[in-house]
Amino acid sequence: MSDFLEIKDVTVTFKVGSTIAARLKGDPPPILTAVDGISFEADRGESIGIVGESGCGKSTLAKAITGLVPVASGSIHLDGVDLAGKRDRATMRRIQMVFQDPSSSLNPSLTVEKMLSELLRVHEIVPREKIPDRCAELLELVELPPSLLTALPRRLSGGQRQRIGIARALALEPEVLIADEAVAALDVSVQAPVLNLLNSLRENLGLTLMFISHDLAVVRYVSDRVVVMYLGRAVEDRPTAELFDNPRHPYTKALMAAAPKFGVKKKPGESALKGEPPSALDLPSGCRFRPRCPLAAEICEQTEPDLTGPSEIERAACHFAWDEAPA
Amino acid sequence: MSGNLLEVTDLRVTFDVHGRQVTPVDGVSLTLERGVALGIAGESGSGKSLSLKSIIGLLPPNATVGGELRFALDREAPIPYAPADVHGHGISIIFQEPMTALNPTMRVGDLIAEGPKLHKGMGKKEAEERAIELMRLVGIPTPERRARMWPHQLSGGLRQRVMIATALSVEPQLLLCDEPTTALDVSIQDQILGLLQELRTRLNMAIIFVSHDLAVLGEICDRLAIMYAGRIVETGPVDEVFADPQHPYTEALMTSVPSFGATTDKLIGIEGRPPDPRDFPPGCRFAPRCDYAQEDCTSADHHLADVAPGRTTACIHPELIEGLGQ
């Protein structure tokens, strides 16, 4: 397979707290499956959006790909190299992550220059004497003035901090950049420039971008393809335009209907999706979206639908997703 | 009964920061008719939450409030009031984070019953029944069972419903909403907005809804006020403001968010960042970031001028705004 980043059946589980009574009885701790058999591929330079609500496993998936949490089963290949087990420094460099909250993910006691030069030194990216120049270049890359090199994070605005977060990830010259809710904490007027920056970095540096967000509109803006997740599973994986024009999975449809839109008045008592997602510790039988699904039928209770479709790049996990001919 | 329910004139909130006077809310005036939903949009630091909290007297003790607040309650015309007096008497508030806003040491049912006991003089038994009734009203399933639960046992959406029930327990005529859906998932946000819309029509309650999200405000509000750097810069009916913004900041806000309905080629965003309340620029406070700024903008006095029936703008050059071309 020529695919650059290949995620295959990745499953991540956590042992969660059990009660004292259960421990005394010797019951094993309950296992929470945060990511449950996710597979997708990404080409070099492609941008994949991952959308889902809290608890759907999107951040855990990002951490698994970055190597921040262990994978219980399945495999992650980058450019043909299996990333299983402990990664060495050179491998870790290749996949970097930008976090949601730039104020808590930057070391408050390091200046921007110290933060960046430490990375460049430890990972031996450039010869020592070139480190100051490289720091300045990195700032230029994220469109910040070089005067900020001496600044501490607390002196920076939210947008500037997030740019430093991006510069820090780029310092290691990664091939894959994972942005986990990278603009969710920013004010609306500063979100747009950061999104534009991510888009231009992808074009100019040929980065593969994985953009994780709960916000469909933002994902649409930056992604070539979108994977919609629900309770650890991918429910739809399709090119952005097709997905937004003609969503196939009832959950995707409901998410779109729920998103607030300009100029559309809410009708009293109206909501696109009834109820709340079930606990990942206590999943329903068959399709996990079934209890909230308007289409739920008998088959949904018995069989969990596979993620399939007319082609490799058009897939949805619903028994009824492809019933009508694609428009 | 029609007419104005609330009138806010020249509201000013000042803090004393190490001997310096900082005024994050600087001359806000609003009128709200009975049963109307007003949205206040703005970014962090624009003073929208502080304005809201001054209406119900929930500012920190080191804040000084200037200007006049008038509230009608059951009377024909609004009369001046002390914000502390309206707690439980006509005005209620709900907050963004239901986990920190609900007392974690009280069972949900007791939390909701507290208002009726305190302000409506109900007995314990009666108040408990009222709590369950209210929980049913806000769409909490199996209210009898849930009333015995603690806030931490509920999901975010249910907690927000509990907070709404608490607010409604004193039968307010005005519900203040401080970003009540920002911390929620979209599908839950959608449910809460639907619920607020339903309660509003059913109880004929006026709402002031503060949010940074224009699309959310558009779904629930009749009128919109846009705040920037402690001042209101534009007001008008929601649809008209969206269709034809009369202030460059409103326009810029709208082009900063990816629109859900259409593929956008490039988002524009706004250069720079909102000013620090300790150091507001002179004249029009948006001028340093404004694409249309003229020389006289930096010396202009702040004044909301009528541009059309029911619409005002603080921009002195609204004719320059090109519009969104939609």
Side-chain angles (χ1 to χ4, degrees):
Chain A
M1 185 152 284
S2 67
D3 279 306
F4 180 56
L5 176 67
E6 198 187 333
I7 314 288
K8 207 158 184 221
D9 279 329
V10 166
T11 299
V12 182
T13 55
F14 296 107
K15 277 184 199 154
V16 288
S18 57
T19 57
I20 291 179
R23 259 180 278 166
L24 288 175
K25 268 196 276 170
D27 291 347
I31 303 278
L32 184 143
T33 308
V35 176
D36 194 356
I38 295 271
S39 306
F40 64 85
E41 288 101 37
D43 283 331
R44 211 181 267 271
E46 196 179 15
S47 164
I48 308 279
I50 312 271
V51 182
E53 297 185 278
S54 16
C56 74
K58 54 190 193 304
S59 292
T60 308
L61 175 67
K63 287 183 186 154
I65 297 173
T66 323
L68 295 176
V69 296
V71 172
S73 68
S75 67
I76 300 167
H77 284 82
L78 182 68
D79 213 1
V81 181
D82 191 352
L83 299 186
K86 201 173 180 306
R87 300 181 190 178
D88 57 26
R89 231 170 236 177
T91 321
M92 283 196 296
R93 259 178 64 184
R94 304 179 70 185
I95 305 182
Q96 285 298 312
M97 190 152 161
V98 179
F99 297 90
Q100 170 173 359
D101 185 1
S103 22
S104 60
S105 59
L106 298 179
N107 186 335
S109 60
L110 290 186
T111 63
V112 171
E113 184 166 24
K114 279 211 181 106
M115 200 182 321
L116 295 176
S117 47
E118 185 176 84
L119 284 171
L120 296 170
R121 198 178 65 243
V122 170
H123 286 266
E124 297 169 349
I125 309 282
V126 290
R128 270 185 190 224
E129 63 277 11
K130 292 236 172 81
I131 287 180
D133 292 348
R134 186 76 189 125
C135 288
E137 274 170 43
L138 282 166
L139 247 58
E140 201 186 315
L141 199 61
V142 296
E143 294 158 16
L144 287 178
S147 59
L148 291 184
L149 276 175
T150 53
L152 285 169
R154 65 158 188 271
R155 236 193 69 204
L156 306 174
S157 72
Q160 286 173 334
R161 271 184 219 149
Q162 196 54 290
R163 281 166 197 267
I164 297 295
I166 296 172
R168 183 176 61 173
L170 292 178
L172 302 186
E173 295 168 7
E175 292 152 274
V176 179
L177 186 68
I178 303 183
D180 187 7
E181 297 273 13
V183 298
L186 302 180
D187 257 326
V188 274
S189 75
V190 284
Q191 262 183 28
V194 173
L195 289 175
N196 288 335
L197 173 70
L198 285 172
N199 262 346
S200 72
L201 287 173
R202 174 165 74 98
E203 269 166 43
N204 300 338
L205 307 177
L207 286 172
T208 302
L209 182 67
M210 225 175 102
F211 192 90
I212 296 168
S213 176
H214 66 283
D215 189 333
L216 285 162
V218 170
V219 166
R220 173 177 205 168
Y221 184 63
V222 292
S223 318
D224 303 322
R225 231 176 68 221
V226 177
V227 179
V228 182
M229 283 182 73
Y230 186 72
L231 285 173
R233 283 273 200 187
V235 296
E236 190 158 354
D237 173 2
R238 294 171 63 210
T240 308
E242 278 81 6
L243 181 102
F244 279 86
D245 288 347
N246 191 3
R248 288 291 179 178
H249 196 282
Y251 178 64
T252 317
K253 287 181 194 167
L255 264 190
M256 288 189 188
K261 287 162 224 65
F262 273 117
V264 182
K265 268 264 151 42
K266 186 107 226 132
K267 292 198 187 70
E270 176 201 70
S271 65
L273 213 45
K274 303 272 180 269
E276 302 186 0
S279 155
L281 282 171
D282 184 20
L283 290 170
S285 67
C287 173
R288 32 194 91 181
F289 186 56
R290 171 176 64 83
R292 304 172 82 192
C293 183
L295 303 178
E298 214 171 296
I299 180 172
C300 307
E301 214 171 307
Q302 291 147 5
T303 329
E304 181 155 23
D306 292 326
L307 187 66
T308 55
S311 74
E312 272 285 287
I313 54 160
E314 290 249 14
R315 300 183 299 168
C318 172
H319 293 298
F320 309 110
W322 307 100
D323 277 2
E324 14 146 13
Chain B
M1 218 168 359
S2 64
N4 287 344
L5 179 67
L6 178 79
E7 289 173 7
V8 175
T9 318
D10 203 23
L11 178 72
R12 229 167 266 275
V13 178
T14 310
F15 289 91
D16 185 88
V17 182
H18 307 302
R20 257 180 75 193
Q21 300 292 305
V22 179
T23 310
V25 177
D26 193 5
V28 163
S29 298
L30 292 171
T31 53
L32 184 71
E33 285 169 46
R34 285 177 197 279
V36 166
L38 167 76
I40 303 182
E43 297 181 90
S44 17
S46 62
K48 55 189 193 306
S49 279
L50 285 175
S51 307
L52 196 74
K53 285 177 185 157
S54 9
I55 295 173
I56 195 167
L58 286 181
L59 291 178
N62 61 338
T64 325
V65 184
E68 194 183 37
L69 296 164
R70 298 163 79 91
F71 184 61
L73 197 57
D74 302 320
R75 296 168 211 94
E76 274 299 315
I79 56 156
Y81 69 95
D85 296 344
V86 296
H87 288 186
H89 298 281
I91 308 184
S92 291
I93 186 163
I94 57 174
F95 300 97
Q96 174 173 348
E97 219 337 296
M99 192 60 230
T100 49
L102 295 177
N103 185 340
T105 66
M106 283 175 83
R107 290 181 197 270
V108 167
D110 298 339
L111 265 171
I112 304 173
E114 182 134 283
K117 271 194 277 190
L118 219 61
H119 298 296
K120 300 279 166 205
M122 283 189 191
K124 191 168 182 282
K125 189 103 188 130
E126 198 187 352
E128 274 167 14
E129 278 163 22
R130 176 83 183 124
I132 288 174
E133 208 176 292
L134 284 159
M135 287 171 79
R136 201 167 283 133
L137 177 75
V138 297
I140 296 176
T142 58
E144 289 83 1
R145 194 168 65 86
R146 291 242 160 62
R148 304 283 309 146
M149 289 188 165
W150 305 98
H152 76 264
Q153 292 173 302
L154 302 178
S155 67
L158 281 182
R159 271 183 220 142
Q160 196 55 276
R161 284 177 197 265
V162 168
M163 184 139 66
I164 296 173
T166 320
L168 295 181
S169 68
V170 293
E171 295 160 28
Q173 291 176 20
L174 171 59
L175 181 66
L176 307 176
C177 307
D178 190 6
E179 305 239 18
T181 61
T182 308
L184 304 176
D185 271 322
V186 262
S187 69
I188 309 298
Q189 159 169 293
D190 184 54
Q191 293 172 2
I192 297 292
L193 291 178
L195 170 69
L196 284 174
Q197 195 72 304
E198 182 191 334
L199 293 170
R200 199 193 131 199
T201 3
R202 228 158 105 181
L203 310 174
N204 188 30
M205 189 169 62
I207 284 183
I208 302 183
F209 198 107
V210 160
S211 175
H212 67 280
D213 190 332
L214 287 173
V216 164
L217 294 175
E219 290 209 331
I220 188 151
C221 298
D222 308 309
R223 290 184 58 79
L224 202 57
I226 313 279
M227 273 191 86
Y228 185 78
R231 290 169 171 171
I232 290 178
V233 295
E234 175 167 4
T235 66
V238 169
D239 304 336
E240 289 178 38
V241 174
F242 284 167
D244 178 25
Q246 289 293 319
H247 195 284
Y249 177 62
T250 316
E251 188 195 47
L253 263 189
M254 292 182 67
T255 52
S256 297
V257 274
S259 152
F260 181 81
T263 25
T264 328
D265 291 337
K266 192 146 170 93
L267 291 177
I268 300 163
I270 312 178
E271 283 295 311
R273 54 167 143 155
D276 188 326
R278 281 167 296 192
D279 189 22
F280 282 136
C284 170
R285 290 175 179 174
F286 186 59
R289 300 173 79 192
C290 181
D291 286 339
Y292 307 108
Q294 304 292 310
E295 238 167 67
D296 52 349
C297 289
T298 50
S299 57
D301 285 331
H302 180 80
H303 166 68
L304 277 173
D306 294 330
V307 274
R311 295 199 62 181
T312 62
T313 178
C315 183
I316 55 167
H317 293 296
E319 75 283 354
L320 295 176
I321 299 169
E322 283 158 13
L324 302 165
Q326 280 173 351

